[in-house]
């Protein structure tokens, strides 16, 4: 594993967190001191050998890194014959990429002398990862989760409670991820002295988009070395799903300085972007401020934030991290929508052809790869970030495919 | 020159604090909110804060969240705000608007300032816009001669208190407890300390908010602040049809000569 993962890069935002016109801090004054403190601790930690040693020891000995890069030839046969490699974040401890970020932020929490951690969760992957890190490090943990999500991800609620976290179902607004973030922010304003808000995606006010990205850069660094070793060349495309955008920004950064590699983010297209039930923020959103940063958001003509819709709770978010807005504008990355139906088809196809059950979030990236493979033809080479495993999605799969026991 | 300077000077001349009452626009309905705001003005609010209902009110507690949700459900649109402000001005009241930043951004900062000023509004309170990101708003508010009210909190450093004071015009909004809006039984002891710190940086009036619901609490804050802000308690009073009585009680509160501690 590279220890340069957290080092400053030419792609960092300015010192107030702006990636071009995006990012910054659209935040209550009451929280500015806390994000300033976090930024100061992070700037020291990212170049502190002791912090880096501890972080990398945890990634290796606790999370199980490096994660594998697995070629998926039988799946790829459905993608026009292009070669497809899967970056196996599903094999990490707790079953997704989320563990990278929570271990990093939990270490920072201890450095700041705070004893209590709060977090939001959509699918429950970030909540489970946060509850895990808090159990490991002896921190109090409160997870805010939209009531709708607690119902569709009941297994993860049980996991978090078993790990010692308090799970609070959020009953306001659309009762999904954005409302869980609102409630976590309210908690943070009231308890900022002893509490760290362990944000789960590369969004929010500065420095979250940078530090969450950096804790996930390990995905791209490993994937680049692995694909060079296994395929003997760089991929044509790196594909990842984008809700808030943390797994995508982590793997993109491994290839961002390789101009021949196309970076493609797959957004939740829900019922289709010609309907009002989707979450394709970068495809059809407009500039706005949400949860502390300027980025693309889904909003009506009054600037009221719209509800997102996706079969995947983890992508069901009407905003997106500001660095993705910047990468879209500069053209360095491209973003496409994938419908619920396309994602579920890819979910079933990977399960059947390769014996790997992906998270529905990651299935959006897989569905994108099927299309991209056909575009590239048989000489194409694609790395897909398989950001999580699908065990948590069985209830959704049972309903979608009618997998239940017949009565 | 601040649009609100006159009211704070008049209150100071009476050795009292100004009473600032808050209500979400469109709550319980657009016309209903005009009636409630007129009652607040008629019963002693020196200034009214007209809130813009927003889908993601991260600084608000359950009372104002519910009222905002209801206003949006009833079909409130941003354009309705200006008619509501106009009706306050027509009733002889002084209105400022309190809003999260995104609706202003979407409307266009300059267009919003223009339409607010044209409706007779005097300024804008921006709970999730800090001066660091407010370049566009500083320009628009200057161009249309509106006051800008930024917030300070107990967690604000001296540098940030200074920045917020220098960037504000009209008054400075001090959040007296760490937390979101909502009436509380006990007004925090952090408030006098915060106001003391603010006064080391500015002579601008300082109004204190978050948690006030009774005349006695208003009197307590009036002893050291230039303005007392009351929000959630007015929303609750709408439900029980006691708005005028609450305003009267609070107006008496800000006029009480504080008893020596």
């Amino acid at each position: 594993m590279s220890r340069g993962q957290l080092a400053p890069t030419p792609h960092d935002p300015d010192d107030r967190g702006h990636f071009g016109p995006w990012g910054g801090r659209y935040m209550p004054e009451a929280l500015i001191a806390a994000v300033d403190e976090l930024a100061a601790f992070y700037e020291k930690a990212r170049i502190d050998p002791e912090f880096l040693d501890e972080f990398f020891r945890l990634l290796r000995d606790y999370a199980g890194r490096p994660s594998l890069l697995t070629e998926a030839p039988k799946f790829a046969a459905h993608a026009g014959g292009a070669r497809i490699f899967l970056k196996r974040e599903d094999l990490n401890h707790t079953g997704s990429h989320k563990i990278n970020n929570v271990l990093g932020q939990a270490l920072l929490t201890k450095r700041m002398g705070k004893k209590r951690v709060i977090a939001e969760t959509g699918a429950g992957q970030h909540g489970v990862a946060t509850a895990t890190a808090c159990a490991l490090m002896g921190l109090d943990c409160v997870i805010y989760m939209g009531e709708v999500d607690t119902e569709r991800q009941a297994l993860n609620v049980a996991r978090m409670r078993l790990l010692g976290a308090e799970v609070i179902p959020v009953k306001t607004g659309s009762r999904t991820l954005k409302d869980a973030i609102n409630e976590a922010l309210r908690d943070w304003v009231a308890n900022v002295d002893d509490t760290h808000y362990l944000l789960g995606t590369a969004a929010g006010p500065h420095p979250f988009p940078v530090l969450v990205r950096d804790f996930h850069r390990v995905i791209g660094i490993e994937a680049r070395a692995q694909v060079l070793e296994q395929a003997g060349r760089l991929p044509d495309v790196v594909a990842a799903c984008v809700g808030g955008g943390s797994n995508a920004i982590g793997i993109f950064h491994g290839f961002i300085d390789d101009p021949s590699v196309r970076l493609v983010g797959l957004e939740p297209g829900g019922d289709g972007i010609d309907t009002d039930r989707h979450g394709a923020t970068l495809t059809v959103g407009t500039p706005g401020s949400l949860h502390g940063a300027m980025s693309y958001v889904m909003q009506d003509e009054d600037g009221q934030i719209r509800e997102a819709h996706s079969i995947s709770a983890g992508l069901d978010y009407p905003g997106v991290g500001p660095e993705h807005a910047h990468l879209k504008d500069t053209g360095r990355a491209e973003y496409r929508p994938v419908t619920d139906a396309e994602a579920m088809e890819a979910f079933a196809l990977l399960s059947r052809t390769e014996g790997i059950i992906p998270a529905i979030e990651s299935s959006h990236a897989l569905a994108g790869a099927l299309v991209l493979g056909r575009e590239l033809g048989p000489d194409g080479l694609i790395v897909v970030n398989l950001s999580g495993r699908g065990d948590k999605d069985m209830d959704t799969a049972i309903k979608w495919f009618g997998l239940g026991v017949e009565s | 020159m601040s649009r609100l300077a006159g009211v704070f000077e008049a209150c100071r001349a009476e050795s009292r604090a100004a009473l600032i009452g808050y209500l979400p626009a469109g709550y319980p309905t657009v016309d209903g909110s005009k009636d409630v705001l007129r009652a607040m003005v008629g019963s002693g609010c020196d200034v009214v804060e007209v809130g813009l209902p927003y889908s993601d009110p991260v600084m608000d507690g359950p009372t104002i969240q519910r009222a905002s949700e209801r206003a949006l459900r009833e079909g409130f649109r941003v354009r309705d705000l200006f008619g509501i402000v106009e009706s306050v001005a027509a009733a002889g009241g002084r209105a400022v608007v309190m809003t999260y930043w995104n609706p202003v951004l979407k409307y266009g900062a300059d267009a919003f300032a223009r339409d607010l000023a044209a409706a007779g509004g005097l300024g804008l309170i921006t709970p999730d816009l800090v001066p660091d990101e407010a370049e566009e708003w500083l320009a628009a508010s200057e161009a249309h001669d509106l006051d800008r009210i930024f917030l300070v909190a107990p967690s604000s450093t001296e540098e940030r208190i200074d920045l917020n004071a220098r960037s504000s015009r009209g008054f400075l909004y001090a959040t007296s407890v760490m937390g979101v809006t909502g009436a509380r039984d006990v007004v925090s002891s952090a408030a006098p300390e915060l106001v003391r710190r603010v006064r080391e940086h500015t002579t601008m009036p300082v109004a204190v908010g978050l948690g006030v619901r009774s005349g006695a609490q208003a009197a307590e804050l009036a002893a050291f602040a230039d303005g007392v802000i009351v929000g959630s308690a007015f929303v609750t009073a709408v439900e029980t049809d006691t708005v005028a009585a609450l305003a009267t009680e609070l107006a008496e509160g800000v006029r009480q000569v504080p008893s020596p501690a």
Side-chain angles (χ1 to χ4, degrees), chain A residues 25 31-41 206-207, chain B residues 132 157 160:
Chain A
R25 284 176 174 168
L31 292 175
I32 296 289
V35 288
D36 272 343
E37 179 190 26
L38 180 62
F41 271 89
H206 180 66
Chain B
D132 319 54
T157 60
R160 292 209 58 87

Side-chain angles (χ1 to χ4, degrees), chain B residues 209-235:
Chain B
L210 297 187
V212 180
R213 67 174 184 187
S214 69
Q217 287 174 328
E220 214 181 300
L221 292 189
F224 60 88
D226 305 300
V228 176
I229 301 168
V230 181
S232 302
F234 275 115
V235 172

Side-chain angles (χ1 to χ4, degrees), chain A residues 243-257:
Chain A
S246 69
N247 88 82
I249 205 73
I251 195 163
F252 284 0
H253 261 264
F255 301 89
I256 198 164
D257 294 320

Side-chain angles (χ1 to χ4, degrees), chain A residues 16 21 44 57 64 94 131 168 174 241 250 254 347 392:
Chain A
R16 282 159 52 219
K44 273 186 237 145
R57 185 184 60 73
T94 72
I168 302 182
S174 59
C241 64
F347 173 87
K392 68 182 177 57

Side-chain angles (χ1 to χ4, degrees), chain A residues 189-200:
Chain A
V189 170
N191 299 298
V192 66
D193 285 346
D194 71 344
T195 298
H196 174 62
Y197 181 9
L198 206 161
L199 189 66

Side-chain angles (χ1 to χ4, degrees), chain A residues 309-324:
Chain A
H309 288 281
S310 171
I311 194 164
S312 146
L315 302 181
D316 204 345
Y317 182 58
V320 66
E323 193 171 1
H324 285 293

Side-chain angles (χ1 to χ4, degrees), chain A residues 86-148:
Chain A
L86 308 175
K87 181 57 178 162
R88 300 292 305 281
E89 293 299 297
D90 61 315
L91 296 179
N92 294 337
H93 181 43
T94 72
S96 81
H97 72 292
K98 295 289 186 188
I99 193 76
N100 305 322
N101 169 49
V102 300
L103 289 173
Q105 285 199 52
L107 281 179
L108 275 179
T109 305
K110 293 193 80 168
R111 282 209 160 191
M112 291 188 290
K114 293 186 172 182
K115 305 265 184 270
R116 178 172 177 268
V117 163
I118 56 174
E120 84 295 343
T121 198
Q125 287 175 318
H126 175 58
V128 167
T130 302
T132 299
C134 289
L136 177 69
M137 299 194 201
L139 297 163
D140 292 338
C141 182
V142 174
I143 305 292
Y144 289 95
M145 188 169 186
E147 194 178 40
V148 170

